[in-house]
Amino acid sequence: MPQPVNRRSYSSPLRAERARGTRRRVIAAGIELFLARGYAGTTLAAVAAGAQVSVDTVFHLFGSKRGLLQAAMDTVIGGDDADVPLLERPDPQTMRAETDPRRQIALFAHGILSQLERIAPVDAMLRSAAAVDADVAALREDLHHRQRRQAMTTVAGWIASNSPLRDAMPVEEAAAILWTLTSPELHHMFRVDCGWPPDRYERWLRTTLEDGLLP
C-alpha cells in the first residue's frame, strides 16, 4: 500500500520579495493620490491603477481605504515599510544608548525633525479628512495622542535614566513636554507660519528641551 505523501508548505524568497514589492507600490500610489486628491477623493480603483495591480489585490493587502491610509501613515512616520517598531530602529536606539543627556536630546531633536518634515504633507491631508470622516479622526487620534504620547514617555524615561530631571519632575511630565513641543501643529507654526528653516527649528527644539528637562 503506498505511503501517504507528506506535503510541506513551500515558501519562496522570490515570491515573498515580489509580494513586498507589490505592497510598496500600492502604498506609494496611495500616498501620491492621498496628497493629490485628498482622502475622500481617492478611490481604491485609482490606487490599483497607479500601482498596476487589481482592486482585489489592494483589498487583499489592506482590507479597506482606511487600512491603506494606516499603512501609508506607518510608512511615512517610520521612513520605510520595515516591520520594526519605531523606537526599536537604529536612530532611536542610538539615542537610548547615549549616556550624556544633552547629547541624547540633540539626537532626539535631529531625528524628530526628520520625522516631522516627512509627515507634514500627509498629516495636513489627514487633519483635513479627520474633520469630516469619523474613521480618519479616530486614526489620527490614535497616532498623535495614544501612540505618540506613549513613545514620548519612553523617550523621557531614557533621558531620566542618565540625569535627574529639572526640579525633580516626574517622567510623565517630561513626556508631556516632549509630546507638546514635537507636535505636528507646533512644527507647522514654526516652519510654515513663521518661515523658520529646519536648522532653526531643530536648534530651538534642542535648547528648549535642554532648558525644560535638565537641571
Side-chain angles (χ1 to χ4, degrees):
M1 182 177 178
Q3 297 296 316
V5 176
N6 292 323
R7 299 187 181 278
R8 293 180 297 177
S9 61
Y10 176 67
S11 176
S12 165
L14 180 59
R15 183 180 302 169
E17 183 53 38
R18 284 176 177 169
R20 285 192 292 270
T22 298
R23 190 174 189 276
R24 291 188 194 106
R25 289 204 316 275
V26 175
I27 290 174
I31 292 171
E32 182 178 353
L33 286 167
F34 286 143
L35 291 175
R37 303 182 183 180
Y39 180 74
T42 297
T43 65
L44 292 187
V47 173
Q52 298 183 325
V53 299
S54 69
V55 176
D56 285 346
T57 296
V58 179
F59 272 110
H60 174 72
L61 289 172
F62 303 104
S64 65
K65 186 164 71 168
R66 186 193 184 282
L68 174 59
L69 179 61
Q70 171 79 66
M73 291 303 302
D74 289 345
T75 298
V76 172
I77 291 169
D80 57 49
D81 65 344
D83 188 20
V84 180
L86 188 63
L87 293 184
E88 293 179 16
R89 293 174 179 234
D91 287 350
Q93 287 299 303
T94 297
M95 183 218 163
R96 180 184 187 180
E98 175 60 58
T99 58
D100 180 346
R102 293 184 182 276
R103 178 62 181 158
Q104 279 186 306
I105 288 174
L107 290 169
F108 171 79
H110 183 74
I112 204 69
L113 169 64
S114 297
Q115 184 185 111
L116 288 166
E117 293 286 313
R118 280 198 311 272
I119 72 172
V122 184
D123 187 65
M125 176 276 301
L126 194 68
R127 187 166 56 249
S128 176
V132 295
D133 189 302
D135 283 344
V136 178
L139 172 60
R140 190 171 190 274
E141 174 76 14
D142 184 64
L143 288 172
H144 288 299
H145 291 264
R146 185 187 66 81
Q147 294 187 38
R148 202 167 67 80
R149 187 70 173 266
Q150 188 175 65
M152 293 303 105
T153 301
T154 299
V155 170
W158 291 349
I159 296 170
S161 69
N162 290 314
S163 169
L165 296 176
R166 187 182 185 89
D167 300 327
M169 76 170 66
V171 167
E172 291 75 16
E173 184 177 333
I177 292 172
L178 286 162
W179 179 69
T180 302
L181 295 184
T182 60
S183 69
E185 292 84 357
L186 198 59
H187 171 262
H188 179 89
M189 290 171 67
F190 280 124
R191 291 280 288 112
V192 177
D193 297 338
C194 297
W196 284 14
D199 59 338
R200 184 175 180 184
Y201 172 83
E202 180 181 341
R203 186 167 60 251
W204 167 83
L205 182 61
R206 185 186 72 247
T207 57
T208 302
L209 288 175
E210 286 178 355
D211 291 343
L213 298 180
L214 301 180

Short mmCIF file of all heavy atoms in Angstrom, two decimals, residues 33-35 37-42 65-66 69 73 121-141:
data_model
loop_
_atom_site.label_atom_id
_atom_site.label_comp_id
_atom_site.label_asym_id
_atom_site.label_seq_id
_atom_site.Cartn_x
_atom_site.Cartn_y
_atom_site.Cartn_z
N LEU A 33 -1.76 59.65 -4.27
CA LEU A 33 -3.15 60.05 -4.54
C LEU A 33 -3.77 60.75 -3.34
O LEU A 33 -4.55 61.71 -3.50
CB LEU A 33 -3.97 58.82 -4.93
CG LEU A 33 -3.70 58.31 -6.35
CD1 LEU A 33 -4.30 56.93 -6.56
CD2 LEU A 33 -4.23 59.29 -7.39
N PHE A 34 -3.48 60.29 -2.13
CA PHE A 34 -4.00 60.98 -0.94
C PHE A 34 -3.55 62.44 -0.93
O PHE A 34 -4.32 63.34 -0.58
CB PHE A 34 -3.52 60.29 0.33
CG PHE A 34 -4.20 58.97 0.63
CD1 PHE A 34 -3.48 57.92 1.18
CD2 PHE A 34 -5.55 58.78 0.38
CE1 PHE A 34 -4.09 56.71 1.47
CE2 PHE A 34 -6.17 57.58 0.66
CZ PHE A 34 -5.44 56.54 1.20
N LEU A 35 -2.29 62.67 -1.30
CA LEU A 35 -1.77 64.05 -1.31
C LEU A 35 -2.37 64.87 -2.44
O LEU A 35 -2.62 66.06 -2.30
CB LEU A 35 -0.24 64.03 -1.41
CG LEU A 35 0.51 63.50 -0.19
CD1 LEU A 35 2.00 63.43 -0.47
CD2 LEU A 35 0.25 64.38 1.03
N ARG A 37 -5.34 64.20 -4.21
CA ARG A 37 -6.80 64.26 -4.27
C ARG A 37 -7.47 64.36 -2.90
O ARG A 37 -8.68 64.57 -2.83
CB ARG A 37 -7.35 63.03 -4.99
CG ARG A 37 -6.82 62.82 -6.40
CD ARG A 37 -7.46 61.60 -7.03
NE ARG A 37 -6.94 61.33 -8.36
CZ ARG A 37 -7.34 60.30 -9.13
NH1 ARG A 37 -8.27 59.48 -8.67
NH2 ARG A 37 -6.81 60.12 -10.32
N GLY A 38 -6.70 64.18 -1.84
CA GLY A 38 -7.30 64.09 -0.52
C GLY A 38 -7.83 62.70 -0.27
O GLY A 38 -7.92 61.87 -1.18
N TYR A 39 -8.20 62.45 0.99
CA TYR A 39 -8.67 61.11 1.35
C TYR A 39 -10.00 60.80 0.67
O TYR A 39 -10.17 59.74 0.06
CB TYR A 39 -8.81 61.01 2.87
CG TYR A 39 -9.28 59.65 3.34
CD1 TYR A 39 -8.43 58.56 3.34
CD2 TYR A 39 -10.59 59.48 3.79
CE1 TYR A 39 -8.87 57.31 3.76
CE2 TYR A 39 -11.03 58.24 4.23
CZ TYR A 39 -10.17 57.16 4.21
OH TYR A 39 -10.60 55.92 4.63
N ALA A 40 -10.95 61.71 0.75
CA ALA A 40 -12.28 61.46 0.18
C ALA A 40 -12.21 61.29 -1.33
O ALA A 40 -12.97 60.50 -1.90
CB ALA A 40 -13.22 62.60 0.55
N GLY A 41 -11.31 62.01 -1.99
CA GLY A 41 -11.23 61.96 -3.44
C GLY A 41 -10.43 60.80 -3.99
O GLY A 41 -10.35 60.62 -5.22
N THR A 42 -9.82 60.02 -3.12
CA THR A 42 -9.02 58.87 -3.55
C THR A 42 -9.86 57.61 -3.51
O THR A 42 -10.50 57.31 -2.51
CB THR A 42 -7.79 58.70 -2.64
OG1 THR A 42 -6.95 59.85 -2.75
CG2 THR A 42 -6.98 57.47 -3.03
N LYS A 65 -9.92 51.28 2.43
CA LYS A 65 -9.16 52.51 2.21
C LYS A 65 -8.55 53.00 3.52
O LYS A 65 -7.42 53.51 3.52
CB LYS A 65 -10.05 53.59 1.59
CG LYS A 65 -9.29 54.84 1.19
CD LYS A 65 -10.06 55.72 0.24
CE LYS A 65 -11.23 56.41 0.88
NZ LYS A 65 -11.80 57.48 0.02
N ARG A 66 -9.27 52.82 4.62
CA ARG A 66 -8.71 53.21 5.90
C ARG A 66 -7.48 52.36 6.23
O ARG A 66 -6.50 52.86 6.79
CB ARG A 66 -9.74 53.07 7.02
CG ARG A 66 -9.25 53.60 8.37
CD ARG A 66 -10.15 53.16 9.52
NE ARG A 66 -9.74 53.73 10.79
CZ ARG A 66 -8.72 53.29 11.52
NH1 ARG A 66 -7.97 52.28 11.09
NH2 ARG A 66 -8.43 53.86 12.67
N LEU A 69 -4.69 53.77 4.34
CA LEU A 69 -4.23 55.02 4.96
C LEU A 69 -3.37 54.74 6.18
O LEU A 69 -2.34 55.39 6.40
CB LEU A 69 -5.43 55.88 5.34
CG LEU A 69 -5.12 57.22 6.01
CD1 LEU A 69 -4.31 58.12 5.10
CD2 LEU A 69 -6.41 57.92 6.43
N MET A 73 0.48 55.91 6.58
CA MET A 73 0.98 56.71 7.69
C MET A 73 2.12 56.01 8.40
O MET A 73 3.13 56.64 8.77
CB MET A 73 -0.15 57.02 8.68
CG MET A 73 -1.22 57.96 8.15
SD MET A 73 -0.58 59.56 7.59
CE MET A 73 0.23 60.17 9.08
N PRO A 121 3.25 66.92 5.04
CA PRO A 121 2.23 66.98 3.98
C PRO A 121 1.10 65.98 4.19
O PRO A 121 -0.07 66.30 3.97
CB PRO A 121 3.03 66.65 2.70
CG PRO A 121 4.46 66.90 3.05
CD PRO A 121 4.58 66.57 4.50
N VAL A 122 1.44 64.76 4.62
CA VAL A 122 0.43 63.73 4.81
C VAL A 122 -0.45 64.06 6.01
O VAL A 122 -1.67 63.82 6.00
CB VAL A 122 1.07 62.34 4.97
CG1 VAL A 122 0.01 61.26 5.06
CG2 VAL A 122 2.00 62.05 3.81
N ASP A 123 0.15 64.63 7.06
CA ASP A 123 -0.64 64.96 8.24
C ASP A 123 -1.62 66.09 7.94
O ASP A 123 -2.73 66.12 8.48
CB ASP A 123 0.26 65.36 9.41
CG ASP A 123 -0.53 65.56 10.69
OD1 ASP A 123 -1.11 64.56 11.18
OD2 ASP A 123 -0.59 66.69 11.19
N ALA A 124 -1.24 67.01 7.07
CA ALA A 124 -2.17 68.07 6.68
C ALA A 124 -3.39 67.46 6.00
O ALA A 124 -4.54 67.87 6.25
CB ALA A 124 -1.48 69.06 5.75
N MET A 125 -3.17 66.47 5.13
CA MET A 125 -4.27 65.76 4.48
C MET A 125 -5.11 65.01 5.51
O MET A 125 -6.34 65.04 5.49
CB MET A 125 -3.71 64.80 3.43
CG MET A 125 -4.74 63.92 2.73
SD MET A 125 -5.20 62.40 3.63
CE MET A 125 -3.60 61.60 3.79
N LEU A 126 -4.41 64.36 6.45
CA LEU A 126 -5.09 63.57 7.48
C LEU A 126 -5.95 64.47 8.35
O LEU A 126 -7.10 64.13 8.69
CB LEU A 126 -4.05 62.84 8.33
CG LEU A 126 -4.54 61.73 9.25
CD1 LEU A 126 -5.04 60.55 8.44
CD2 LEU A 126 -3.43 61.29 10.19
N ARG A 127 -5.43 65.64 8.73
CA ARG A 127 -6.16 66.57 9.58
C ARG A 127 -7.42 67.08 8.87
O ARG A 127 -8.49 67.19 9.47
CB ARG A 127 -5.25 67.73 9.97
CG ARG A 127 -5.85 68.68 10.98
CD ARG A 127 -4.80 69.59 11.59
NE ARG A 127 -4.06 70.34 10.60
CZ ARG A 127 -2.77 70.15 10.32
NH1 ARG A 127 -2.08 69.22 10.94
NH2 ARG A 127 -2.17 70.89 9.40
N SER A 128 -7.29 67.35 7.57
CA SER A 128 -8.44 67.81 6.81
C SER A 128 -9.50 66.72 6.69
O SER A 128 -10.69 66.98 6.87
CB SER A 128 -7.98 68.24 5.41
OG SER A 128 -9.07 68.62 4.60
N ALA A 129 -9.07 65.49 6.42
CA ALA A 129 -10.02 64.38 6.30
C ALA A 129 -10.68 64.06 7.63
O ALA A 129 -11.86 63.70 7.68
CB ALA A 129 -9.30 63.15 5.75
N ALA A 130 -9.94 64.21 8.72
CA ALA A 130 -10.47 63.89 10.05
C ALA A 130 -11.64 64.80 10.42
O ALA A 130 -12.50 64.42 11.21
CB ALA A 130 -9.37 64.00 11.09
N ALA A 131 -11.67 65.98 9.83
CA ALA A 131 -12.74 66.92 10.15
C ALA A 131 -14.09 66.45 9.63
O ALA A 131 -15.14 66.89 10.15
CB ALA A 131 -12.41 68.30 9.57
N VAL A 132 -14.09 65.56 8.64
CA VAL A 132 -15.37 65.13 8.05
C VAL A 132 -15.55 63.61 8.06
O VAL A 132 -16.60 63.12 7.65
CB VAL A 132 -15.49 65.64 6.59
CG1 VAL A 132 -15.56 67.16 6.57
CG2 VAL A 132 -14.33 65.16 5.73
N ASP A 133 -14.55 62.86 8.51
CA ASP A 133 -14.63 61.40 8.49
C ASP A 133 -14.27 60.87 9.88
O ASP A 133 -13.13 61.03 10.33
CB ASP A 133 -13.67 60.84 7.44
CG ASP A 133 -13.86 59.34 7.22
OD1 ASP A 133 -13.73 58.57 8.19
OD2 ASP A 133 -14.10 58.94 6.06
N ALA A 134 -15.22 60.22 10.53
CA ALA A 134 -15.00 59.76 11.90
C ALA A 134 -13.91 58.69 11.98
O ALA A 134 -13.14 58.65 12.95
CB ALA A 134 -16.31 59.21 12.48
N ASP A 135 -13.83 57.82 10.97
CA ASP A 135 -12.80 56.77 10.99
C ASP A 135 -11.40 57.38 10.90
O ASP A 135 -10.48 56.95 11.58
CB ASP A 135 -13.01 55.79 9.83
CG ASP A 135 -14.15 54.81 10.09
OD1 ASP A 135 -14.56 54.69 11.26
OD2 ASP A 135 -14.62 54.18 9.13
N VAL A 136 -11.25 58.36 10.04
CA VAL A 136 -9.95 59.02 9.91
C VAL A 136 -9.63 59.81 11.17
O VAL A 136 -8.48 59.85 11.63
CB VAL A 136 -9.92 59.95 8.67
CG1 VAL A 136 -8.58 60.66 8.57
CG2 VAL A 136 -10.17 59.14 7.41
N ALA A 137 -10.64 60.43 11.77
CA ALA A 137 -10.43 61.16 13.02
C ALA A 137 -9.93 60.22 14.11
O ALA A 137 -9.04 60.56 14.89
CB ALA A 137 -11.72 61.85 13.45
N ALA A 138 -10.51 59.02 14.17
CA ALA A 138 -10.08 58.04 15.16
C ALA A 138 -8.65 57.59 14.90
O ALA A 138 -7.87 57.39 15.83
CB ALA A 138 -11.03 56.84 15.14
N LEU A 139 -8.30 57.42 13.63
CA LEU A 139 -6.93 57.04 13.28
C LEU A 139 -5.94 58.11 13.71
O LEU A 139 -4.90 57.82 14.32
CB LEU A 139 -6.82 56.79 11.78
CG LEU A 139 -5.41 56.56 11.22
CD1 LEU A 139 -4.77 55.34 11.87
CD2 LEU A 139 -5.45 56.40 9.70
N ARG A 140 -6.25 59.37 13.40
CA ARG A 140 -5.34 60.45 13.77
C ARG A 140 -5.22 60.60 15.29
O ARG A 140 -4.14 60.84 15.83
CB ARG A 140 -5.78 61.78 13.15
CG ARG A 140 -4.72 62.87 13.30
CD ARG A 140 -5.07 64.12 12.52
NE ARG A 140 -3.92 65.02 12.51
CZ ARG A 140 -3.66 65.91 13.45
NH1 ARG A 140 -4.47 66.02 14.49
NH2 ARG A 140 -2.59 66.69 13.37
N GLU A 141 -6.34 60.42 15.97
CA GLU A 141 -6.33 60.47 17.43
C GLU A 141 -5.40 59.39 17.99
O GLU A 141 -4.62 59.64 18.90
CB GLU A 141 -7.75 60.27 17.96
CG GLU A 141 -7.86 60.17 19.47
CD GLU A 141 -7.73 61.50 20.18
OE1 GLU A 141 -7.81 62.55 19.50
OE2 GLU A 141 -7.53 61.49 21.41
#
